[in-house]
């Protein structure tokens, strides 16, 4: 598993029947900065993943690849290699919070 940021979406009108209705998102893998260990850095790669959790653009997500991507009930027997299996709320490294999901505040706050 790895962390990734959702950077966009993908629409494919022609695809195999088993993939009809599956939401495809563009994700960019992230890693912990090796020098500071206090922030997340992009790896510079881009992947397309099947969304199984309702993720949206800008969110940090938990992604799995390979044969593990076909082990969820939503992706069993599908021709997928990358799947979003969670939306990340926070990341802690060495007792320091290096990522916390932004929550929307109501207008009165």
């Amino acid at each position: 598993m790895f962390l990734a940021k959702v950077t966009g979406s993908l629409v494919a009108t022609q695809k195999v029947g088993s993939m009809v209705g599956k939401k495809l998102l563009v994700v960019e893998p992230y890693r912990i900065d090796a020098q500071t260990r206090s922030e997340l850095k992009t790896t510079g790669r881009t992947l397309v993943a099947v969304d199984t959790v309702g993720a949206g653009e800008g969110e940090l997500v938990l992604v799995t690849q390979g044969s593990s991507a076909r082990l969820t009930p939503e992706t069993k027997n599908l021709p997928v290699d990358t799947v979003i299996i969670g939306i990340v709320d926070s990341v802690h490294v060495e007792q320091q919070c290096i990522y916390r999901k932004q929550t929307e505040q109501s207008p009165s706050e």
Side-chain angles (χ1 to χ4, degrees), residues 49-79:
V50 174
D51 179 29
T52 63
V53 295
E57 192 166 338
E59 289 189 294
L60 192 66
V61 293
L62 187 59
V63 176
T64 190
Q65 273 190 307
S67 60
S68 297
R70 291 180 296 281
L71 294 178
T72 71
E74 298 84 1
T75 58
K76 186 177 180 181
N77 299 319
L78 291 181

Side-chain angles (χ1 to χ4, degrees), residues 2-8 25-30 45 47 56-63 84:
F2 58 91
L3 298 172
K5 183 177 182 180
V6 178
T7 57
L25 295 176
V26 178
V27 297
E28 185 176 328
Y30 272 65
R45 298 176 55 213
L47 303 166
E57 192 166 338
E59 289 189 294
L60 192 66
V61 293
L62 187 59
V63 176
I84 297 170

Side-chain angles (χ1 to χ4, degrees), residues 31-103:
R31 62 177 177 77
I32 297 167
D33 183 284
Q35 294 178 346
T36 67
R37 301 189 59 77
S38 64
E39 63 182 329
L40 296 170
K41 296 270 189 172
T42 180
T43 65
R45 298 176 55 213
T46 301
L47 303 166
V48 174
V50 174
D51 179 29
T52 63
V53 295
E57 192 166 338
E59 289 189 294
L60 192 66
V61 293
L62 187 59
V63 176
T64 190
Q65 273 190 307
S67 60
S68 297
R70 291 180 296 281
L71 294 178
T72 71
E74 298 84 1
T75 58
K76 186 177 180 181
N77 299 319
L78 291 181
V80 300
D81 183 58
T82 309
V83 62
I84 297 170
I85 60 168
I87 299 173
V88 177
D89 294 314
S90 63
V91 177
H92 297 263
V93 176
E94 297 174 354
Q95 301 176 351
Q96 179 182 4
C97 182
I98 64 170
Y99 171 83
R100 185 171 310 281
K101 183 177 180 177
Q102 297 293 322
T103 57

